Amino acid sequence: MEVKVLFFASCRDLVGTPEASISLPDRARVTDLLARLAEEHPRLREMEASLMVSVNQAYVDRSRRLGDGDEVAFIPPVSGGGPAGCVENAEPEEKRPYVR
């Protein structure tokens, strides 16, 4: 199957193109696509935990199965960012969950 992949901001800079067409085995998941892209662009693995992923313009979990013709977008944090969780190094009363 073929999926269209869109790369935004720092992802686009890292990969060197705003979009690509990628062939994947049937029943592949977003995690399979990420693994494939990380083989070609190892620095993508470093930012993987901070990326938001959408399929057909809806945010999805990385376990989402892909279908032929799907559009997958990798969206890095707008400013800074890190893995989902609480603000690190904050006083206990200031620790709040991130909001997406």
Side-chain angles (χ1 to χ4, degrees):
M1 78 172 147
E2 291 280 323
V3 295
K4 179 180 179 180
V5 183
L6 304 177
F7 302 100
F8 291 94
S10 56
C11 290
R12 178 185 57 235
D13 296 340
L14 191 138
V15 173
T17 185
E19 66 181 64
S21 181
I22 306 285
S23 294
L24 293 168
D26 289 342
R27 301 183 52 79
R29 297 179 184 273
V30 171
T31 53
D32 300 320
L33 175 58
L34 274 166
R36 167 95 176 271
L37 290 168
E39 286 178 16
E40 297 173 23
H41 309 281
R43 289 187 50 219
L44 191 61
R45 177 80 62 207
E46 297 170 18
M47 65 186 329
E48 183 178 343
S50 299
L51 295 176
M52 294 297 297
V53 180
S54 74
V55 175
N56 301 325
Q57 300 181 6
Y59 288 114
V60 298
D61 186 82
R62 291 160 193 240
S63 63
R64 165 84 151 52
R65 263 195 216 288
L66 298 172
D68 190 43
D70 279 350
E71 178 185 83
V72 182
F74 293 109
I75 306 161
V78 174
S79 177
C86 292
V87 178
E88 294 182 28
N89 301 324
E91 295 299 318
E93 66 270 55
E94 295 176 348
K95 287 192 176 191
R96 298 182 189 104
Y98 288 116
V99 177
R100 296 196 255 185

